[in-house]
Amino acid sequence: MGVVFYSLTILSFLQLLTKPLFDIFRQFRHWTISLLIIASLLPQPPQVAALTPYCQLSSEAIRQKNAVRNAALKGKVKQKQAYQSLIQQHSRLLRDCRQQIWPQEQALWLRVYPCDLRPGVLETLLDQIVNNGYNNIYVEVFFNSQVLLPKSDNPTIWQSIVQEQGYNNSDLLAQVIKKGHERGLKVYAWMFTLNFGYAYSRRDDRAWVLARNGRGQSSTEVVADQVQAFIDPYNPLAKADYAKMLKAVLQRRPDGVLFDYIRYPRGIKGQTTVGEVKDLWVYGDASRQELINRGLNNKGRYLIERYLEQGYITVTNIAQADQQFPQEGSPLWVGRRPPSGEAKLLSAAKKPRLEADLWHLAVAHASNGVIGFLQAAAVIAQAQGIKVGAVFFPDANQGVGNRGFDARLQAWDKFPRSLQWHPMAYRVCQESKCIVSQVKRVTNVAQGQTVVTPAIAGRWGETYQNRPPLEAQMQAIQAAVPQINAVSHFVYSWQDPEFDRQRRECRF
C-alpha cells in the first residue's frame, strides 16, 4: 500500500506542474486531507514516556503501557504492533537512562512460577520490572531440589518446576530470557550450588554424596528447615550431577550465571561456628580420602588419619609414626613447613605444633573444596562466553576466637578474581552505615581487580524489616564507594507481595 501511495503522489505532483496556480492550491488541499485520513488509519506510535529518578517510568507511562498490553492480549494485530512498539521504546529509554544515571546496572532477584505461563502474566511481570528502572534480572533456576527446565527436556536428577499437565514442553526459562531481551533486560540464571536440596538427600542412590561431619551427621540434621541439603564438594557424583544440570541451563543462553550457596551450612544453636576437626564437613568418603591424600609422606598420612578418627593426636600416635617409618623425617602434608630440627625432638615436644598444623590443614581442605567446586562450575559457563558471578556473605569467612571460624567457611576472598563478586549486604540496622561497611570490606579485598555488585535488601520508599529504603542504601553506597557501578535488589516478592502471591498460588 505504501509503495503504491507514494508512486501516485509523485505522479500527481508532476501533473500539478502543468496546471494553473488556483488548481494547484485546490489539489494541494485535497492531497493534505487524504494524507491526514490515511495517517489516522495507521497504528499510532505511543507518546514518549517520562522518567522519574532511578530511571523509573512515570505513573502515566505505566498506565498507558498497561492499557496497550491489555488491548494486545485480545489478539488484534494493530494493538499487538502498538504494544511491541511501546516496549521497544521503553527499552531504548531504559538503556539511555541507565547510561546516564547511577548505577549503570540495576538488577532484581526474581523467582518465577508455573502460573507465569498463563497468557499475559510474564509480560506483566517483566513490564513492571522495567517500569521500576531495572535493566538486569537474576532469575532463580535451581533451588530446593527443583530446576527451571521443561519436563520433556530435563536430563537432570532434579524435578522440573513446571509439573502442570499439558505443559510438559513449556520452557519457562527460555521464555523469560526471550521476553526479557525484548524489553532490554539482561537475564542471569541464579543457581544454588553446594545446597542440592532435601529431596536429593532422600534418594538412596545419593545418600553417600552428602557432606558429613565427624559426629556422623549430614547437613540435614543441623539446619533449621527441611529444604537444605549440602553435598560433599569433593564427591565426583555430585560434580557430575551439577555439571549436567548447569549445561542444560546454559543451553538457553542466559546473559550470565550466578552461583549461590557456595558454602557449608550454618547450623543452629551451637553449630554456627567450627573450632575442632569434628565440626568440619570433611567426613564424606570423597572429602576424607582427599584430605588423607594431602599427606606427602607416610608419617603425614598416618597422623592425618589418626587426627580425623580421634579429633586429636596423642604422643603415642607420633611415636608410632616414627617407629613405623624410621627412614622418614618430619611428618609432611601440603603446605607444611616443619621447623628445623623437628625430627630430633621428643614426641611430646612435637605434639603442639603438629596438632596446630593439622587443624589448619583440615580447615584449608574444607575451604578449598568449596572454592574448587565453584571453579569447576565457572569454567563450564566461561567456556561458552557466559559471564559468571559468585554470591556470598561478606562476614562468612571470618575467624571466631583464637582458632575458630564461621561454620560456613565461605572463603570468598579466595574466589577467582575473574568472576563477578556479589556480596549480600543484608545486615540489619536502622541506618545504612552497617551495610556500607560490608560493601567496603569486599571492595578493599577486590582492590579494583574484580567487578563488585552489592546485593541489598528492602523496598522502595519505605523502611522494611528494619532496613532503610532502597534509595537510602544506594545513596550511601554511592557516596562511600563511588567505584561501585552496579547494584542488585533482593527481592521482587518484597516489592510486590500481592502479585507474587497471586502468581505463586494460582491454579491453571
Side-chain angles (χ1 to χ4, degrees):
M1 174 181 174
V3 174
V4 174
F5 171 75
Y6 287 117
S7 299
L8 291 174
T9 301
I10 294 170
L11 181 60
S12 299
F13 182 73
L14 292 174
Q15 292 173 344
L16 285 173
L17 295 178
T18 62
K19 292 189 176 185
L21 186 61
F22 178 77
D23 289 341
I24 292 176
F25 281 127
R26 184 175 61 183
Q27 186 69 18
F28 180 77
R29 179 176 175 273
H30 172 72
W31 194 25
T32 303
I33 293 173
S34 299
L35 282 171
L36 291 173
I37 292 172
I38 293 171
S40 68
L41 296 175
L42 297 173
Q44 298 300 304
Q47 296 179 357
V48 175
L51 291 173
T52 61
Y54 300 101
C55 297
Q56 297 170 343
L57 288 174
S58 67
S59 57
E60 174 57 26
I62 294 172
R63 185 204 62 76
Q64 181 191 28
K65 182 188 284 187
N66 291 342
V68 173
R69 182 181 60 250
N70 291 337
L73 288 174
K74 296 177 181 177
K76 295 183 179 179
V77 175
K78 290 181 181 179
Q79 283 78 2
K80 288 182 177 180
Q81 291 175 344
Y83 178 50
Q84 289 300 317
S85 175
L86 185 60
I87 63 175
Q88 291 170 14
Q89 179 196 109
H90 287 181
S91 172
R92 292 191 295 271
L93 281 171
L94 179 62
R95 178 198 62 208
D96 294 344
C97 184
R98 288 262 70 104
Q99 289 177 352
Q100 301 174 47
I101 303 295
W102 185 93
Q104 188 174 13
E105 294 190 357
Q106 184 171 279
L108 183 64
W109 301 80
L110 173 69
R111 178 177 290 184
V112 293
Y113 306 103
C115 288
D116 292 332
L117 290 168
R118 293 179 302 165
V121 177
L122 188 57
E123 288 82 356
T124 301
L125 173 66
L126 296 175
D127 284 350
Q128 284 186 2
I129 291 170
V130 171
N131 294 346
N132 279 322
Y134 295 102
N135 58 349
N136 285 9
I137 51 175
Y138 302 155
V139 180
E140 201 168 20
V141 302
F142 174 58
F143 63 98
N144 299 350
S145 296
Q146 302 176 89
V147 62
L148 193 62
L149 294 172
K151 195 172 182 179
S152 63
D153 188 19
N154 180 5
T156 80
I157 199 169
W158 293 279
Q159 177 177 282
S160 295
I161 290 173
V162 178
Q163 289 289 311
E164 280 67 19
Q165 187 174 2
Y167 287 82
N168 288 355
N169 298 323
S170 297
D171 196 332
L172 183 51
L173 174 57
Q175 289 193 33
V176 173
I177 294 171
K178 177 179 181 294
K179 294 179 180 181
H181 286 170
E182 289 174 354
R183 290 160 176 78
L185 294 168
K186 291 181 182 177
V187 183
Y188 278 55
W190 164 29
M191 312 172 64
F192 285 12
T193 309
L194 269 64
N195 179 4
F196 277 21
Y198 187 73
Y200 184 92
S201 74
R202 303 306 295 169
R203 295 179 60 101
D204 292 338
D205 60 345
R206 292 299 188 276
W208 69 285
V209 173
L210 300 181
R212 296 191 176 276
N213 62 23
R215 297 175 177 82
Q217 296 173 309
S218 75
S219 63
T220 59
E221 299 172 69
V222 303
V223 295
D225 55 53
Q226 289 295 311
V227 295
Q228 299 182 48
F230 289 77
I231 51 86
D232 175 358
Y234 288 97
N235 189 287
L237 183 55
K239 294 177 182 178
D241 284 344
Y242 197 81
K244 180 180 285 188
M245 183 270 296
L246 174 59
K247 290 174 182 177
V249 168
L250 296 178
Q251 286 177 3
R252 276 72 189 171
R253 301 301 300 174
D255 297 287
V257 59
L258 298 182
F259 296 112
D260 197 356
Y261 280 90
I262 318 164
R263 59 178 178 84
Y264 296 106
R266 190 179 193 188
I268 55 178
K269 297 180 181 178
Q271 295 177 302
T272 60
T273 62
V274 293
E276 57 182 89
V277 68
K278 291 199 173 185
D279 295 333
L280 299 176
W281 300 99
V282 296
Y283 285 82
D285 291 344
S287 182
R288 183 180 181 279
Q289 189 58 55
E290 186 69 23
L291 177 52
I292 293 171
N293 290 343
R294 292 188 185 276
L296 298 178
N297 62 8
N298 290 312
K299 283 185 179 180
R301 288 185 288 272
Y302 178 85
L303 290 180
I304 293 171
E305 285 194 75
R306 301 291 82 74
Y307 185 62
L308 288 171
E309 290 171 3
Q310 302 164 176
Y312 54 87
I313 57 171
T314 66
V315 171
T316 301
N317 295 148
I318 299 171
Q320 289 171 340
D322 288 337
Q323 292 170 7
Q324 290 185 38
F325 310 105
Q327 73 281 10
E328 297 181 351
S330 292
L332 298 176
W333 45 80
V334 174
R336 182 164 199 262
R337 295 181 179 179
S340 177
E342 179 187 71
K344 298 179 181 180
L345 296 175
L346 296 175
S347 297
K350 298 177 187 177
K351 181 177 179 297
R353 176 65 179 261
L354 285 169
E355 207 160 46
D357 288 353
L358 283 166
W359 168 242
H360 291 130
L361 170 68
V363 171
H365 171 77
S367 298
N368 285 339
V370 172
I371 296 168
F373 197 95
L374 169 63
Q375 289 174 325
V379 165
I380 294 172
Q382 290 173 326
Q384 298 187 29
I386 293 176
K387 295 180 179 179
V388 178
V391 186
F392 57 88
F393 289 105
D395 57 355
N397 67 337
Q398 298 189 109
V400 178
N402 292 330
R403 55 173 266 161
F405 296 93
D406 186 294
R408 292 168 289 188
L409 287 180
Q410 192 170 42
W412 56 262
D413 51 314
K414 302 296 192 299
F415 287 174
R417 299 301 178 93
S418 60
L419 308 187
Q420 300 173 1
W421 286 4
H422 292 255
M424 295 179 284
Y426 294 167
R427 186 175 292 173
V428 177
C429 55
Q430 296 299 321
E431 299 178 351
S432 301
K433 186 180 298 184
C434 68
I435 295 166
V436 168
S437 68
Q438 289 189 312
V439 176
K440 290 181 72 173
R441 181 167 184 256
V442 175
T443 55
N444 288 340
V445 173
Q447 297 180 341
Q449 302 174 44
T450 301
V451 175
V452 178
T453 302
I456 59 177
R459 282 182 178 173
W460 291 104
E462 61 177 297
T463 298
Y464 184 67
Q465 296 192 2
N466 293 322
R467 292 178 173 88
L470 289 172
E471 53 268 43
Q473 296 183 51
M474 292 171 69
Q475 290 165 8
I477 290 172
Q478 183 183 16
V481 199
Q483 66 267 35
I484 293 290
N485 201 24
V487 176
S488 67
H489 296 164
F490 186 89
V491 58
Y492 174 83
S493 61
W494 285 16
Q495 296 190 14
D496 195 341
E498 180 56 26
F499 188 41
D500 188 80
R501 184 194 63 78
Q502 292 173 8
R503 294 167 42 241
R504 182 178 66 252
E505 298 178 359
C506 86
R507 293 294 179 267
F508 280 85

